[in-house]
Amino acid sequence: MTDLPDHLLAGYRNFMTGRYVAEGDRFRTLAREGQAPETMVIACCDSRAAPEVIFDSGPGELFVVRNVANLVPPYAPDGEFHSTSAALEFAVQALKVKNIVVVGHGRCGGIRAALAPASEPLSPGDFIGKWMSLLAPSASAVSGNALLTAGERQTALERISIRYSIANLRTFPCINILEGKGRLKLYGAWFDISTGELWVMNRQTGDFERPEIA
Amino acid sequence: MTDLPDHLLAGYRNFMTGRYVAEGDRFRTLAREGQAPETMVIACCDSRAAPEVIFDSGPGELFVVRNVANLVPPYAPDGEFHSTSAALEFAVQALKVKNIVVVGHGRCGGIRAALAPASEPLSPGDFIGKWMSLLAPSASAVSGNALLTAGERQTALERISIRYSIANLRTFPCINILEGKGRLKLYGAWFDISTGELWVMNRQTGDFERPEIA
Amino acid sequence: MTDLPDHLLAGYRNFMTGRYVAEGDRFRTLAREGQAPETMVIACCDSRAAPEVIFDSGPGELFVVRNVANLVPPYAPDGEFHSTSAALEFAVQALKVKNIVVVGHGRCGGIRAALAPASEPLSPGDFIGKWMSLLAPSASAVSGNALLTAGERQTALERISIRYSIANLRTFPCINILEGKGRLKLYGAWFDISTGELWVMNRQTGDFERPEIA
Amino acid sequence: MTDLPDHLLAGYRNFMTGRYVAEGDRFRTLAREGQAPETMVIACCDSRAAPEVIFDSGPGELFVVRNVANLVPPYAPDGEFHSTSAALEFAVQALKVKNIVVVGHGRCGGIRAALAPASEPLSPGDFIGKWMSLLAPSASAVSGNALLTAGERQTALERISIRYSIANLRTFPCINILEGKGRLKLYGAWFDISTGELWVMNRQTGDFERPEIA
């Protein structure tokens, strides 16, 4: 008996007999030469929104941070542990990625929590409450609008949070400088898990639009 | 022109004309009924170690946190933002996952940085230095061992860090309680990107072993 | 020379040599027996959003009111002239339609005017200003949200206005009674002129969703 | 299940698989550049007299008001809501249309109501009675003429109402001025739904004549 959940062991077997047969050379090259991804993705932990699935990406293609609600906190060099900021620093300074893409998605549980009326924390540490409080000002601006449906408030905050994370990316000096020099580009996208549609943020207007993929 | 890197747009096109055709019903059901993953994975941002690839997992299967070196910080209910702790709380308390798997991998850049002699930080914020300092006691114990090769020190710390993260998981009261009741199981695994081999942590001994998958 | 703009004369010629050849019997029957449309549509004057085009409807199918921004004013039996209320009364009481559909659309100039800061009226009568002031409370709730893009504010108000018109339909006693008896149904839809997509209002939630038409 | 009457959903499917395939580029251009119709049409709500059908018009061609009996009320800058006047102001001042065409039709139910002896209102609000009272002086002059048949009285009032609406258009200062400068033209037409024939108003005499279309 192996100390791994059965579904993971079965999945790993599929990987070894399927994808790894085709991509083994690519994995070996990447092991030898190191990774050099062009693109960093900041995505949500949600089990329905894996960036490698949505973008059908291969080994070595995407450097991926995943946290609840794909948030980037503002730059804060305060000596604390900052998981997302550490990953950003590594991607931008060590790997020298050319693109950072913030990928949000529909029906996000973190966003729903941010819009819900203040309630009991999930645990005494209230980590999720504290984490989602990054979005509190935006959330209150949206949740107070009774003319929008619950679904519309949810979608609105999901998209606002993507723009918020991109704005916070620009508070990091190294990102701001590299973007100014044209060596780093910032993007936003929103994935509709019910339809499979990807909505891409227009970098001029901030609007989300469906790309032509035909 | 679409505001998305070309390789992502091309990948998304593949997803829509390939995998989404086969899995659209699953996505629609997951959108309607919500996600209910049994397993949370804590993995590294590395572009060569995506858990959905290694475990060939489908939509709705894995709730995934990814940070540099797949670290879980110790429980610290201090009112600060804690990305990984927030995701843990959400997975355990809201989604009620049954398994948490920490997945490390070979040739990890974060682990390499932790083993390197103190050097210039990547940026003035030194986020990666601070983040990897979580492993500093383990790293110094390993890096001082001249009997191990550089490769052996790297692999040793990669595996030590998985056991460290699992130990930190148990500092979270809710995880500790649920594991005690048998309702939550903690696992470790290490992925060798050069061979595609997965080494699974023996939960009795902490050793990493290759599962039989034939 | 005929006293009609050339493009209308040319179009009429196409109608007579094309569609009328195929549908002449239908027109003759409708002339003899009178119209008996099942559905009333309240749509915008916009030249890009004709309901007969969007719904590919034939003669006798749709009883259509068109005004700027597809608005239904609230019930006001005050002895004044009420163009839309007169049409409603005729459709519901004389024609006994079974459905009333409010059809809004993207990039609506009336909605844009409602969201614009107070400006000079288009003419001393300020008819458009007065007409769009029906939406003023909704418009100010939306226009004050700086977290939304201009495009998002526009779409939000377009959809809010559809729900507003439907709510106003229910202030008409005869509509309210017939809906209660299940003899009249109220619907909303929003047409995206840039993609040709129709978004249908979910009558439970008020959300707009794309119907499956494959 | 979609919240839309079946015949509309089926019609929309036809639109998307038919006309939109051919005219999608035109819709996209119109979305991007905005509408710029040359012609405004004031037509009746009647389900048998859709101007886009009679004039075989394409997207972006006609800005259309539809109310019962295609009436234009006289200019009345009284601060009340005026649906038709608002649309006129928008068409003339914002869109700067070059033509306004009032299109009446045979067997118009609104005209029939105006000619009927005073009867019970359709509802306590009597909106249709009030609306058609705009035509009361004309209607009483016609209905008292025992030498005309009922059919002749109906046709006579249908055509009188077109001339009445055109006269009312000229009570709007901006329309009067632009017509005087030759920058706006006013037209009338009457559609015979039983034969498909269009009768165009001679602008010198006010007579309705059949255009040569061969």
Side-chain angles (χ1 to χ4, degrees):
Chain A
M1 208 219 68
T2 297
D3 283 340
L4 201 66
D6 287 345
H7 70 112
L8 294 192
L9 194 63
Y12 172 64
R13 194 179 293 123
N14 289 343
F15 166 69
M16 277 309 275
T17 57
R19 191 158 179 172
Y20 188 76
V21 173
E23 293 183 341
D25 283 347
R26 177 91 183 112
F27 274 103
R28 280 183 289 273
T29 303
L30 284 165
R32 195 172 58 243
E33 302 181 357
Q35 66 175 331
E38 288 194 1
T39 299
M40 175 187 199
V41 170
I42 297 161
C44 182
C45 300
D46 196 289
S47 62
R48 304 163 294 181
E52 285 84 0
V53 172
I54 299 171
F55 297 118
D56 188 41
S57 59
E61 192 172 344
L62 303 179
F63 185 81
V64 178
V65 167
R66 292 178 70 178
N67 61 39
V68 173
N70 39 276
L71 293 180
V72 176
Y75 179 70
D78 54 10
E80 297 292 325
F81 303 122
H82 292 288
S83 164
T84 305
S85 302
L88 279 170
E89 188 181 84
F90 191 77
V92 172
Q93 302 290 65
L95 298 177
K96 301 190 192 304
V97 296
K98 297 180 185 169
N99 312 298
I100 303 180
V101 189
V102 178
V103 180
H105 68 97
R107 298 163 196 255
C108 177
I111 296 290
R112 184 173 300 120
L115 283 168
S119 59
E120 289 295 296
L122 285 175
S123 80
D126 193 20
F127 295 107
I128 196 80
K130 185 68 191 166
W131 179 248
M132 292 314 303
S133 76
L134 282 164
L135 278 183
S138 307
S140 68
V142 170
S143 63
N145 192 332
L147 296 171
L148 299 175
T149 67
E152 287 170 346
R153 287 193 291 268
Q154 170 91 13
T155 303
L157 189 57
E158 284 162 1
R159 295 179 172 189
I160 287 168
S161 82
I162 294 168
R163 291 192 290 262
Y164 168 82
S165 286
I166 291 174
N168 282 344
L169 284 173
R170 296 196 170 110
T171 64
F172 286 75
C174 61
I175 291 176
N176 197 31
I177 290 167
L178 289 169
E179 193 190 22
K181 290 183 177 171
R183 284 160 51 190
L184 180 63
K185 287 194 173 139
L186 309 184
Y187 304 86
W190 179 89
F191 178 65
D192 184 339
I193 54 175
S194 66
T195 62
E197 290 172 355
L198 188 74
W199 295 66
V200 175
M201 195 187 79
N202 180 310
R203 287 152 80 203
Q204 306 303 317
T205 64
D207 285 319
F208 285 79
E209 301 160 356
R210 303 227 307 281
E212 307 236 357
I213 61 166
Chain B
M1 206 219 72
T2 297
D3 284 340
L4 202 68
D6 286 346
H7 71 111
L8 294 193
L9 194 63
Y12 172 63
R13 197 179 290 125
N14 289 343
F15 165 69
M16 275 309 272
T17 56
R19 191 157 178 174
Y20 188 76
V21 173
E23 293 183 343
D25 282 347
R26 178 91 183 111
F27 274 102
R28 279 184 288 273
T29 301
L30 284 165
R32 195 173 56 242
E33 302 181 355
Q35 66 174 332
E38 288 193 2
T39 300
M40 177 186 195
V41 169
I42 297 160
C44 182
C45 301
D46 196 288
S47 62
R48 304 163 295 181
E52 284 84 358
V53 172
I54 300 171
F55 298 118
D56 188 40
S57 59
E61 193 172 343
L62 303 179
F63 185 82
V64 177
V65 167
R66 292 178 71 179
N67 60 39
V68 173
N70 40 275
L71 294 180
V72 177
Y75 179 70
D78 55 11
E80 296 294 324
F81 302 122
H82 291 290
S83 164
T84 304
S85 301
L88 280 169
E89 186 182 87
F90 192 79
V92 173
Q93 301 290 66
L95 298 177
K96 301 188 189 310
V97 296
K98 296 179 184 169
N99 312 299
I100 302 179
V101 189
V102 178
V103 180
H105 68 98
R107 299 164 197 256
C108 177
I111 296 293
R112 183 173 302 119
L115 284 168
S119 58
E120 286 297 296
L122 285 176
S123 81
D126 192 22
F127 295 107
I128 198 77
K130 185 68 190 168
W131 179 249
M132 293 314 302
S133 75
L134 283 163
L135 279 183
S138 310
S140 68
V142 171
S143 62
N145 190 330
L147 295 174
L148 298 174
T149 67
E152 286 168 345
R153 285 195 292 269
Q154 171 89 12
T155 303
L157 190 56
E158 286 162 0
R159 295 179 173 189
I160 288 168
S161 82
I162 294 167
R163 291 190 291 264
Y164 167 82
S165 285
I166 291 173
N168 281 345
L169 283 174
R170 295 195 171 108
T171 64
F172 286 74
C174 61
I175 292 175
N176 197 32
I177 290 168
L178 288 168
E179 192 189 21
K181 291 182 176 170
R183 283 159 51 189
L184 179 64
K185 288 192 172 142
L186 309 185
Y187 304 86
W190 179 89
F191 178 66
D192 184 339
I193 55 175
S194 66
T195 62
E197 289 172 355
L198 188 76
W199 295 64
V200 175
M201 193 186 81
N202 181 308
R203 288 152 80 204
Q204 307 304 316
T205 64
D207 284 323
F208 283 79
E209 303 160 353
R210 302 234 313 275
E212 309 240 354
I213 61 164
Chain C
M1 205 219 74
T2 297
D3 283 341
L4 201 66
D6 286 346
H7 71 112
L8 293 192
L9 194 63
Y12 172 64
R13 196 178 291 124
N14 289 344
F15 166 68
M16 277 308 276
T17 57
R19 191 157 178 174
Y20 189 76
V21 172
E23 293 182 342
D25 283 348
R26 177 91 183 112
F27 274 103
R28 280 184 287 274
T29 302
L30 284 164
R32 195 171 58 243
E33 303 181 354
Q35 66 174 331
E38 287 194 2
T39 299
M40 177 187 195
V41 170
I42 297 161
C44 182
C45 299
D46 196 288
S47 62
R48 303 163 294 180
E52 285 84 359
V53 172
I54 300 171
F55 298 117
D56 189 40
S57 59
E61 193 173 344
L62 303 179
F63 185 81
V64 178
V65 167
R66 292 178 70 179
N67 60 41
V68 174
N70 40 276
L71 293 180
V72 176
Y75 179 69
D78 55 11
E80 297 292 325
F81 303 122
H82 291 290
S83 163
T84 304
S85 302
L88 279 170
E89 188 181 84
F90 192 77
V92 173
Q93 301 291 65
L95 298 176
K96 301 188 190 309
V97 296
K98 296 179 185 169
N99 312 298
I100 302 179
V101 189
V102 177
V103 180
H105 68 97
R107 297 163 198 255
C108 178
I111 296 292
R112 184 173 300 120
L115 284 168
S119 59
E120 288 296 297
L122 285 176
S123 79
D126 193 21
F127 295 107
I128 198 78
K130 185 68 190 169
W131 178 249
M132 294 312 303
S133 75
L134 283 164
L135 279 183
S138 307
S140 68
V142 171
S143 63
N145 193 331
L147 296 170
L148 299 175
T149 67
E152 287 170 345
R153 286 193 292 266
Q154 171 91 12
T155 302
L157 190 57
E158 285 162 359
R159 294 178 173 190
I160 288 168
S161 83
I162 294 168
R163 291 191 291 263
Y164 168 82
S165 286
I166 291 174
N168 282 344
L169 284 174
R170 295 194 171 110
T171 64
F172 286 74
C174 61
I175 292 176
N176 197 32
I177 290 169
L178 289 169
E179 193 190 23
K181 290 182 177 171
R183 283 158 53 188
L184 180 63
K185 287 193 173 141
L186 309 185
Y187 303 85
W190 179 88
F191 178 66
D192 184 339
I193 54 175
S194 65
T195 61
E197 290 172 356
L198 189 75
W199 295 66
V200 175
M201 194 186 81
N202 180 311
R203 289 152 80 201
Q204 307 303 316
T205 64
D207 285 320
F208 285 79
E209 302 160 355
R210 301 227 307 283
E212 308 236 356
I213 61 163
Chain D
M1 207 220 70
T2 297
D3 284 339
L4 201 68
D6 286 345
H7 71 111
L8 294 191
L9 193 63
Y12 172 63
R13 196 180 290 124
N14 289 344
F15 165 68
M16 276 308 273
T17 57
R19 191 157 178 173
Y20 189 76
V21 173
E23 294 184 340
D25 283 347
R26 178 90 183 111
F27 274 102
R28 281 184 287 273
T29 302
L30 284 165
R32 196 172 57 244
E33 302 181 357
Q35 65 174 331
E38 288 194 1
T39 299
M40 176 186 197
V41 169
I42 297 161
C44 182
C45 300
D46 197 289
S47 62
R48 303 163 296 181
E52 285 83 1
V53 172
I54 299 172
F55 298 118
D56 188 41
S57 59
E61 192 173 344
L62 303 179
F63 185 82
V64 178
V65 167
R66 292 177 72 179
N67 60 38
V68 173
N70 39 276
L71 294 180
V72 177
Y75 178 70
D78 55 10
E80 297 293 325
F81 302 123
H82 292 289
S83 164
T84 305
S85 302
L88 279 170
E89 187 181 86
F90 192 77
V92 172
Q93 301 289 66
L95 298 177
K96 302 189 191 306
V97 296
K98 296 179 185 171
N99 313 298
I100 302 179
V101 188
V102 178
V103 180
H105 68 98
R107 299 165 195 254
C108 175
I111 296 291
R112 183 174 301 119
L115 283 169
S119 58
E120 288 296 296
L122 286 175
S123 80
D126 193 20
F127 295 107
I128 196 78
K130 185 68 190 168
W131 178 249
M132 292 313 302
S133 75
L134 283 164
L135 278 184
S138 309
S140 67
V142 170
S143 64
N145 191 331
L147 296 174
L148 298 175
T149 68
E152 285 168 346
R153 285 195 292 270
Q154 170 90 13
T155 302
L157 189 58
E158 284 163 1
R159 295 180 173 188
I160 288 168
S161 83
I162 294 168
R163 290 191 291 264
Y164 167 82
S165 285
I166 291 174
N168 281 344
L169 285 174
R170 296 195 170 109
T171 64
F172 286 75
C174 61
I175 291 176
N176 197 32
I177 291 168
L178 289 169
E179 193 190 22
K181 290 183 178 171
R183 283 159 51 189
L184 181 64
K185 287 191 175 143
L186 309 185
Y187 303 86
W190 179 88
F191 178 65
D192 183 339
I193 54 175
S194 66
T195 62
E197 290 172 356
L198 188 75
W199 295 65
V200 175
M201 194 186 79
N202 181 309
R203 287 152 82 204
Q204 306 305 317
T205 63
D207 285 322
F208 283 79
E209 302 160 354
R210 302 231 319 270
E212 308 238 355
I213 62 165

